[in-house]
Amino acid sequence: MKYGKNRWISYLWIAGIVIGSLGLSGCKSSSQKEEGSIVVENKGKKTKAEASIFAMDTFMTITAYGTQAEEAVQEAQHEIEYLDQLLSAGSSDGEVGEINQNGFGSCSQDTAYLLERSFELHEKTDGAFNVMMYPLMEKWGFISGDYKVPPQEAIDRLLPLTDISKVSYDSKEGKIQFLEKGMKIDFGGIAKGYTSSCIMDIFEQYNISSGIVNLGGNVQVKGKKTDGSDWRVGIRDPKGEKEYLGILSVSDKAVITSGGYERVFEENGVKYHHILDPKTGKPAQGGLDSVTIVCEDGTLADGLSTSLFVMGFEEAQNYWMDHSNEFDMILVANDGTIYVTEGLEDKFESQMTKVHIIRQKNK
Ligand code: AMP
Ligand code: MG
C-alpha cells in the first residue's frame, strides 16, 4: 500500500475540521441502514446519506440530505473514483497518466475543461499557476515520498519542461501534444476543487437542497444546513498548534485551502513543501503559511488557493484587489497574523487577536 498509517491519521484529522456537520457516529439507530459504504439515516421527511472514501491521495466525506440523498451520494462516489483515475498524473491506465507517458493524446470532456481552465488561470496569475510542474514534483520526491533537495543543475534542466507554451493543444479536436520529451501534466492543484464542483452538480440533479463534501480539508457546501443555518467550516491552523484558527459560516460556497504544511520535509534544518514557484522550480516562499479561497466555483477556489500561495503575501492582496468580485480569502502570514477580506468580515469568527480585515482601496 502506498500510504502509511500516519497519513491516514492526519487525513482523518483534516476531515474532522467541518464543525458539527459531519458527525460520523459509530453506532446506528434503528432508522439507519448501511448500503455498501453509504450510511443512510431517515429523519422524518429528510433522508441523510453519507459516505467516506479514500481517493486522490486523501480522505473524503460526502453528505447529502433529501429524498434522493442515497442516489446522489452513490453517484458522487462514482464520480470521485472516475475523476481520480482519469486525472491522476502518474496512473498507467488513466487518461492524463497515458498522455504523460506518451507525450500526446486525446482529451475527454473533463480533461479538456480542466486544461482550458488551467491555461486561463496560468495567464491570469502571470504564470504562478502552472499545471506542468510534475517533472519537478518528481525530482523533489513529492510523488514517491523519497524527498530530497535537487541540485540547482537538475532544477535548471527540468524548468524548461514546465513551459506551457510548449504544450500544443487543439481545443476543437481535444488533442494535446507536448513539444518536449518528459513534459507532464499535474492537476494536483485544481482537481479536488473541480471534483467538489462536479458533486454540487450531482446534488442539483438529485434535488439535494443541503449537502457538503470534504475532500481532505477542502470543503464545498450546497445550500444551508437542514435547520436553515449556515454550514460552519473550521480553518486549519497551518502551524498545527491549535485545532483551528477560526470558523467560517457559509452557504453555497467552496472553502479551499493551500498550505505549506500538507506535504513537507526537512533537510539540514530547512523545511521544504510541495507548492512550487514555477519561476524558480523551488517551494514558493512568499511569506504565507496558508491561503483559503472562498467562492461558489470550486475549480476556481482550488486553482486560486495554489496560485495565491505561490504569489505570496503582497501579490495575493493585489490580485484580490483586482478580482474582489470573484472571491474572498483568508491569508495566514508566516508570523501567524490572519488577513480576511471584507466579504468574510461577518462570517469569520476567531479567538485570535491578530486578525486584520483587507478592504478595497478604492471604496
Ligand atoms: P494545492 O494543495 O491545491 O495547493 O495543490 C498542490 C499541488 O499542486 C501539488 O501537490 C502539485 O501537485 C501541484 N502544484 C505544485 N505547484 C504548483 C503550481 N505552481 N501551480 C499549479 N499546481 C502546482
Ligand atoms: Mg489548489
Side-chain angles (χ1 to χ4, degrees), residues 189 258 302-303 305-306:
S258 287
D302 197 357
S305 69
T306 311

Side-chain angles (χ1 to χ4, degrees), residues 128-130 137 186 188-189 258 262-263 274-276 278 302 306 310:
F129 192 77
N130 185 328
M137 290 295 291
D186 175 6
S258 287
E262 284 176 48
R263 247 177 289 169
H274 70 306
I275 305 177
L276 303 180
D302 197 357
T306 311
V310 171

Side-chain angles (χ1 to χ4, degrees), residues 119-266:
F119 291 157
E120 183 195 337
L121 210 51
H122 179 76
E123 239 182 87
K124 273 178 85 168
T125 63
D126 202 17
F129 192 77
N130 185 328
V131 280
M132 303 305 294
M133 298 305 293
Y134 202 73
L136 277 156
M137 290 295 291
E138 282 181 310
K139 198 70 199 172
W140 280 89
F142 288 117
I143 309 302
S144 62
D146 184 11
Y147 305 121
K148 53 190 168 289
V149 179
Q152 186 62 44
E153 155 286 301
I155 294 176
D156 292 342
R157 187 168 35 82
L158 292 174
L159 267 175
L161 301 183
T162 67
D163 180 352
I164 282 194
S165 71
K166 293 181 193 158
V167 178
S168 157
Y169 175 65
D170 176 346
S171 59
K172 270 209 185 94
E173 298 290 324
K175 299 253 192 250
I176 186 166
Q177 180 160 21
F178 304 145
L179 303 182
E180 205 164 318
K181 197 169 181 306
M183 294 180 79
K184 286 178 183 177
I185 300 169
D186 175 6
F187 284 134
I190 199 165
K192 284 194 212 105
Y194 176 60
T195 304
S196 60
S197 284
C198 292
I199 295 174
M200 294 302 119
D201 292 345
I202 292 170
F203 281 178
E204 190 73 34
Q205 280 164 29
Y206 286 94
N207 294 316
I208 303 300
S209 51
S210 175
I212 182 164
V213 291
N214 184 347
L215 312 183
N218 294 315
V219 173
Q220 189 159 357
V221 302
K222 176 95 174 71
K224 291 177 183 277
K225 291 203 293 190
T226 49
D227 65 4
S229 64
D230 281 341
W231 294 99
R232 288 160 66 74
V233 180
I235 304 301
R236 185 180 165 166
D237 175 7
K239 295 218 189 317
E241 289 161 4
K242 299 190 172 51
E243 200 180 344
Y244 46 84
L245 287 183
I247 301 168
L248 201 55
S249 297
V250 284
S251 59
D252 285 316
K253 291 275 188 296
V255 179
I256 296 192
T257 301
S258 287
Y261 51 80
E262 284 176 48
R263 247 177 289 169
V264 64
F265 71 97
E266 201 169 317

